[in-house]
Amino acid sequence: MKKTFFYLVVLAVALMTYSCQQKESDGKCHIHGTVGQPALSEGKLIFLVPLKGPATAETVDSVVIKDGKFEFTPDSVQMYKILLDYHYRFGFQQLLIVGEPGDIMVSIDSISSAHGTPQNDSLQLWKEATERHNREYNRMLGRAEECKRQGNMALADSLKAEAKRYHLDYKNYSRRMSAGLKEGLLHDFLEGLFPLTYQRKMADGTMVTMDADTHEPIKE
């Protein structure tokens, strides 16, 4: 009897392991989410919205937050935004994710995050770098503006130049990440945000290639 029970336990564990392995290798995107501030979020709708294209009933998915949790299994490999119903969105940071195959662990709160798949791990690093950049860049510009109001134009110009260099460092960091990824949704997203060049139509109708950082024409 004991031996039979032992074999049943082993069989159950084997089946559970197999089930988990199947889920990990089924080629689908599984988003497992938790939401903070339960007094505000419990029972509310949370949405999975395509980053590009129309947001319609056919393209947007939604579920009810229950016990502080939610799950999505999108059937399209693309980038998405995760956000609460707009009536209850205040205090919750919307989150950008890459809907790629695998298990993505998502936390939605005043500061949201995602990890678990290669592109989402990289996206989380970029998100944190972006937030640090935005805080420091805005602080520099704020100081420059304060110096300008006080009449200290030399220091204001110096701070603006420092902010410009800091912003360029951030753009180049993003470009290096894009180049390191080589391909994929996150690569394309970052490359689109921070191109090295762009085209400008001149008064005579000709198209000129411009440096995206200096906004000066690139000599052929």
Side-chain angles (χ1 to χ4, degrees), residues 11-12 23 25 28 35-36 40 56 65 82 99 111 138 140 148 155 168 172 174-175 180 183 193 197 214 218:
L11 178 60
K23 184 176 182 181
S25 61
K28 294 182 180 179
V35 186
L40 299 176
T56 66
I65 299 165
I82 298 178
I111 298 178
N138 289 331
M140 290 177 180
K148 183 179 178 181
L155 183 54
L168 180 58
N172 286 331
S174 302
R175 289 164 177 161
E183 62 181 8
L193 280 182
T197 62
T214 65
I218 295 177

Side-chain angles (χ1 to χ4, degrees), residues 112-182:
S112 299
S113 61
H115 68 277
T117 61
Q119 290 187 86
N120 281 293
D121 289 345
S122 295
L123 180 56
Q124 180 63 28
L125 291 175
W126 179 80
K127 176 182 181 292
E128 293 168 3
T130 299
E131 290 170 345
R132 287 193 300 270
H133 161 268
N134 291 346
R135 287 192 298 268
E136 185 63 18
Y137 184 65
N138 289 331
R139 185 189 67 82
M140 290 177 180
L141 293 181
R143 286 183 59 202
E145 205 51 43
E146 181 63 26
C147 289
K148 183 179 178 181
R149 285 194 296 269
Q150 294 172 357
N152 191 342
M153 299 306 296
L155 183 54
D157 290 343
S158 175
L159 288 167
K160 285 182 180 179
E162 182 183 357
K164 186 176 181 179
R165 289 191 296 271
Y166 182 75
H167 183 58
L168 180 58
D169 287 344
Y170 162 71
K171 289 171 70 176
N172 286 331
Y173 161 80
S174 302
R175 289 164 177 161
R176 287 193 299 272
M177 177 175 281
S178 176
L181 292 167
K182 295 185 174 61

Side-chain angles (χ1 to χ4, degrees), residues 17-56:
T17 302
Y18 175 78
S19 176
C20 290
Q21 290 175 340
Q22 285 294 99
K23 184 176 182 181
E24 290 175 355
S25 61
D26 66 2
K28 294 182 180 179
C29 173
H30 299 278
I31 300 169
H32 312 276
T34 60
V35 186
Q37 309 176 62
L40 299 176
S41 62
E42 188 67 15
K44 306 301 188 297
L45 282 173
I46 190 163
F47 296 88
L48 184 69
V49 184
L51 180 63
K52 294 183 178 179
T56 66

